[in-house]
Amino acid sequence: MTNTIHLDKTRRTAFSDRQILDTLGKVFGFSEFRPNQEGIVRAILEGRDVFAVMPTGGGKSLCYQLPSMLLPGTCMVVSPLIALMKDQVDGAKANGIRAACLNSSLKPEEQASVRRDLLAGSVDLLYVAPERFALDSFRQLLGQINVGLAVVDEAHCISEWGHDFRPDYLSLSALVELFPDSPVAAFTATATPKVQDDILRKLSLREPCTVRASFDRPNLFYDIRFKEKLADQLVQLLKDNSGRAGIVYRTSRKSVNETAAMLQSKGFRALPYHAGLNDDDRRRNQEAFIRDEADVIVATIAFGMGIDKSNIRFVIHADLPKSIESYYQETGRAGRDGEPARCTMFFSRSDIPKARFFIDTIENETERAEALDALQKLVALASTSVCRRKTLLDHFGEAYRRENCGGCDICVGTRETIDCTVEAQMLLSAVARTEQRFGAMHIVDIVTGSRNRKILDFGHDRLKTWGVGREKGKKFWKQLIDELLAQKIVARAEGLYPALYLLDKAVAVLKGETTVHMARAQEQEKKPDKAGRGTAEESCDRELFELLRSLRKEIADEQGVPPYIVFSDRSLRDMASSFPVTAEAMLSVPGVGEVKLERYGRRFLQLIRRYREEHPESSFSP
């Protein structure tokens, strides 16, 4: 039976607008809230439970860090990201928040020190893992301190319907009983309506303020390309993003090692990351990336949950992710600072059988069916000619109203849409004439006029559709089949023999009553472009920006923290645009609060003044 921890707390008083905005400016360095932040902060300060779905980079940490500075007692944050906790604590401390973490990575004497600080009431913000929360000894410690706010981060982990279910999270259902006098707030970046309902039910939140922010990440550019010569494609993309931080995701450890070695041989500062590396190598590679000592990390999906690097400028999926939820979360690691970033996926039909192989090994029939459904939705996203952003948002139950998002390959025209109704009729006819018993590759072989043994054995070289599409390459026909699958004109049978079969819409296509359009890459896609880069990067003084980056790295190394904890790229770009030379002007830079100004401001101001003297021709705000 769960014990209830009753708190002898002073009555919570209302907080004025002045108190809230002063804390926002002095601690975090912002003059205004991002969308949804203010409503969440005020609800927590009023003592209400909160459930918030906010996209990665939406500023959810501020929603509980700011109240932790105003509410009496300690704000306890339960998070699965042990590898991230130190950086979270360092980031909070850099803003002047009394923060600590309590997890298995700490030495016994370090854990004892945190406990003493908690009992002394000198910790505003405490990060713990769910495994720690479940321990009786920790529950006893909680009974001796004033927990003014309990937070569940990555709340989707409590749902068995979510893409990252963790059994340890189920113990968090006791939070509202343990802290009946304190608000409980749950946050996640990815939750379908079904997962949201499950989270609310399991946490038993008390008439919560529920916020479902837009899943749209306007600063991210979505780009899906047909995978051809992958090594060459990766090299070109990394050249286009020279000097920028990025992640390349691969599905297997072998492909991670091979890709990292290939990129290193081409002169890129790239490192591998996967569960097969020993702990020291994995930690060393991750820290090199976080500290800007490596530009690119090539990784399996084991990488990402443990980092909070805000200046990742690109994420590349060289293989298919597991699901749209996984894709959204993994691409969400780019552009957390709100600056433009690019998300590129390379897609090939040859990736599908690999994914099916792992799905077929799932013993539970329900889980296998869900994994297969997730794969089909992902293939539809990769294959469709519809705006990528609209397709993503539709998946999470959000309607995208604009006709052109201006932030994906479909909408900016690096894909052209062509009418391929006649070619679709050729394919559909081939499927019908072979009695819907054969897979995609065999149908492609028929229309391109192959004379391989299987075609001859079945006599399919005598079909009227044999060879009708030989003037187009197999790549075209494979893409067209993907489009027909995405548009639900054909479907693929389950099991070992995934034969294509016609759906109702196929009849209308065959009769010429409806048309089929397909998006395909234009030639300019192979050229370097600026899609996904914004005016902020182009308008700032690049030379000054690089000097500021070097100073940031120097200070970060001195203090043993990642560079983005000192200042974000966004802050540096603003400095390189506005040329602040006084403390007052520096405080107007986004992300520069009073504590950071005191700690770092003098050295940055000295650099900017010197640069301004040496480059009088540079433009700056007086």
Side-chain angles (χ1 to χ4, degrees):
M1 183 174 177
T2 303
N3 294 320
T4 299
I5 299 172
H6 293 283
L7 301 175
D8 182 15
K9 299 172 58 176
T10 58
R11 183 178 179 181
R12 182 172 293 117
T13 57
F15 296 93
S16 67
D17 291 350
R18 181 66 177 270
Q19 285 177 290
I20 295 171
L21 291 174
D22 278 355
T23 305
L24 179 67
K26 292 178 180 179
V27 178
F28 300 96
F30 299 114
S31 60
E32 59 185 21
F33 287 100
R34 294 189 195 179
N36 300 295
Q37 285 182 328
E38 184 174 6
I40 294 171
V41 166
R42 289 186 181 279
I44 291 173
L45 292 176
E46 290 168 4
R48 294 189 61 189
D49 286 354
V50 167
F51 174 74
V53 183
M54 300 177 71
T56 303
K60 63 178 179 178
S61 62
L62 183 142
C63 293
Y64 57 80
Q65 287 186 0
L66 193 155
S68 78
M69 297 292 288
L70 295 175
L71 292 173
T74 297
C75 168
M76 180 186 69
V77 183
V78 182
S79 169
L81 313 178
I82 291 179
L84 173 58
M85 285 183 190
K86 182 181 183 303
D87 290 344
Q88 290 174 316
V89 169
D90 287 341
K93 285 182 173 179
N95 285 325
I97 301 173
R98 299 181 300 175
C101 63
L102 200 53
N103 59 50
S104 57
S105 71
L106 299 183
K107 297 176 182 178
E109 57 269 25
E110 292 174 322
Q111 294 189 30
S113 176
V114 172
R115 290 192 191 95
R116 286 194 297 271
D117 289 342
L118 281 169
L119 292 171
S122 57
V123 176
D124 297 317
L125 189 63
L126 176 70
Y127 289 90
V128 299
E131 298 87 350
R132 173 78 48 173
F133 176 78
L135 295 176
D136 288 338
S137 58
F138 183 69
R139 298 282 182 94
Q140 292 173 5
L141 176 64
L142 291 178
Q144 301 174 63
I145 65 175
N146 182 356
V147 177
L149 168 64
V151 174
V152 181
D153 201 8
E154 309 292 342
H156 60 273
C157 294
I158 201 173
S159 173
E160 294 170 74
W161 301 109
H163 66 284
D164 195 25
F165 170 63
R166 302 197 179 198
D168 292 316
Y169 257 63
L170 295 176
S171 67
L172 302 182
S173 60
L175 280 171
V176 295
E177 296 178 42
L178 286 169
F179 308 113
D181 305 316
S182 299
V184 175
F187 296 88
T188 178
T190 52
T192 61
K194 181 179 182 181
V195 171
Q196 174 175 323
D197 291 343
D198 197 33
I199 295 170
L200 288 169
R201 181 178 60 81
K202 286 180 175 172
L203 288 178
S204 301
L205 299 181
R206 300 152 294 193
E207 299 182 2
C209 166
T210 301
V211 174
R212 191 172 179 86
S214 172
F215 279 79
D216 187 18
R217 294 284 306 279
N219 62 314
L220 299 188
F221 185 92
Y222 298 104
D223 177 24
I224 301 180
R225 305 185 182 189
F226 194 80
K227 188 190 297 185
E228 296 179 280
K229 297 179 181 178
L230 180 61
D232 293 343
Q233 291 172 305
L234 289 175
V235 167
Q236 185 59 59
L237 263 181
L238 265 60
K239 284 181 179 177
D240 294 345
N241 288 278
S242 178
R244 294 180 175 86
I247 304 173
V248 178
Y249 281 112
R250 302 300 314 262
T251 53
S252 71
R253 299 174 185 180
K254 180 182 178 182
S255 58
V256 165
N257 290 335
E258 291 175 347
T259 301
M262 181 274 293
L263 293 176
Q264 289 169 358
S265 72
K266 302 291 185 182
F268 297 105
R269 298 196 305 169
L271 293 172
Y273 185 101
H274 57 72
L277 297 174
N278 65 55
D279 290 345
D280 288 341
D281 287 343
R282 196 164 57 244
R283 183 176 61 254
R284 187 161 45 246
N285 290 355
Q286 176 171 302
E287 288 182 356
F289 179 64
I290 289 174
R291 297 179 188 277
D292 291 352
E293 293 162 5
D295 295 324
V296 181
I297 201 85
V298 185
T300 59
I301 57 172
F303 182 81
M305 288 290 283
I307 65 165
D308 194 25
K309 186 175 171 69
S310 64
N311 64 331
I312 294 173
R313 299 271 68 87
F314 63 91
V315 169
I316 299 171
H317 282 87
D319 302 301
L320 278 178
K322 289 195 305 183
S323 63
I324 289 182
E325 286 89 348
S326 297
Y327 174 72
Y328 181 84
Q329 186 176 60
E330 288 151 19
T331 55
R333 287 158 192 159
R336 294 171 68 103
D337 53 7
E339 294 290 293
R342 189 179 191 104
C343 307
T344 301
M345 183 201 299
F346 290 104
F347 171 68
S348 170
R349 288 192 54 79
S350 62
D351 289 336
I352 299 173
K354 297 174 188 175
R356 283 298 302 266
F357 173 80
F358 290 107
I359 291 173
D360 290 340
T361 63
I362 300 174
E363 294 183 2
N364 183 284
E365 187 174 338
T366 301
E367 292 180 9
R368 188 168 61 251
E370 289 175 355
L372 183 60
D373 180 61
L375 173 63
Q376 291 172 341
K377 289 177 179 176
L378 188 65
V379 171
L381 168 68
S383 307
T384 185
S385 57
V386 176
C387 166
R388 311 292 186 195
R389 184 167 268 100
K390 176 178 173 57
T391 305
L392 275 175
L393 297 181
D394 280 348
H395 179 79
F396 292 105
E398 179 179 344
Y400 189 72
R401 304 297 183 188
R402 293 171 57 187
E403 292 185 7
N404 188 311
C405 78
C408 78
D409 54 337
I410 300 296
C411 290
V412 302
T414 56
R415 294 287 189 279
E416 62 177 342
T417 301
I418 59 171
D419 187 328
C420 50
T421 305
V422 173
E423 291 83 357
Q425 290 170 335
M426 295 175 184
L427 281 174
L428 298 175
S429 178
V431 172
R433 290 174 186 277
T434 54
E435 300 177 340
Q436 307 179 78
R437 295 174 49 223
F438 295 87
M441 289 308 301
H442 188 76
I443 299 301
V444 169
D445 285 340
I446 291 173
V447 298
T448 55
S450 172
R451 298 185 66 85
N452 66 35
R453 176 58 64 89
K454 189 175 179 182
I455 292 287
L456 298 177
D457 286 349
F458 281 99
H460 290 165
D461 57 324
R462 297 191 295 272
L463 294 174
K464 288 185 177 180
T465 47
W466 181 81
V468 293
R470 59 166 54 93
E471 76 282 357
K472 296 184 182 294
K474 289 189 176 183
K475 172 185 170 183
F476 170 86
W477 294 107
K478 292 175 186 177
Q479 287 181 281
L480 181 53
I481 287 176
D482 288 338
E483 188 67 33
L484 295 177
L485 288 164
Q487 294 190 28
K488 294 182 171 54
I489 295 171
V490 299
R492 185 185 288 109
E494 295 185 27
L496 295 175
Y497 305 101
L500 295 179
Y501 62 92
L502 307 182
L503 297 176
D504 292 343
K505 290 172 67 175
V507 177
V509 175
L510 285 168
K511 290 181 177 180
E513 296 172 353
T514 188
T515 58
V516 176
H517 290 82
M518 178 176 71
R520 68 176 184 181
Q522 293 182 335
E523 287 302 312
Q524 69 256 33
E525 179 189 272
K526 298 180 181 179
K527 301 175 183 178
D529 59 70
K530 292 184 178 180
R533 303 183 196 174
T535 55
E537 181 174 355
E538 295 167 8
S539 63
C540 76
D541 187 307
R542 291 296 304 174
E543 184 178 350
L544 176 57
F545 176 73
E546 292 302 329
L547 290 171
L548 294 169
R549 281 188 68 193
S550 297
L551 176 59
R552 178 180 67 178
K553 180 71 168 65
E554 180 182 324
I555 294 173
D557 289 346
E558 291 171 0
Q559 300 194 352
V561 298
Y564 63 83
I565 283 180
V566 177
F567 285 127
S568 68
D569 278 11
R570 180 188 177 193
S571 296
L572 298 189
R573 287 204 180 94
D574 192 279
M575 293 178 201
S577 299
S578 62
F579 291 74
V581 292
T582 66
E584 183 180 2
M586 184 65 87
L587 280 173
S588 68
V589 172
V592 181
E594 292 185 353
V595 173
K596 284 193 173 183
L597 175 65
E598 181 180 348
R599 289 181 180 174
Y600 314 124
R602 179 180 57 81
R603 292 169 69 175
F604 281 88
L605 285 170
Q606 286 177 344
L607 172 58
I608 295 168
R609 290 182 189 126
R610 185 170 66 250
Y611 184 85
R612 185 170 152 180
E613 290 170 359
E614 295 172 355
H615 300 80
E617 75 284 357
S618 297
S619 60
F620 58 87
S621 299

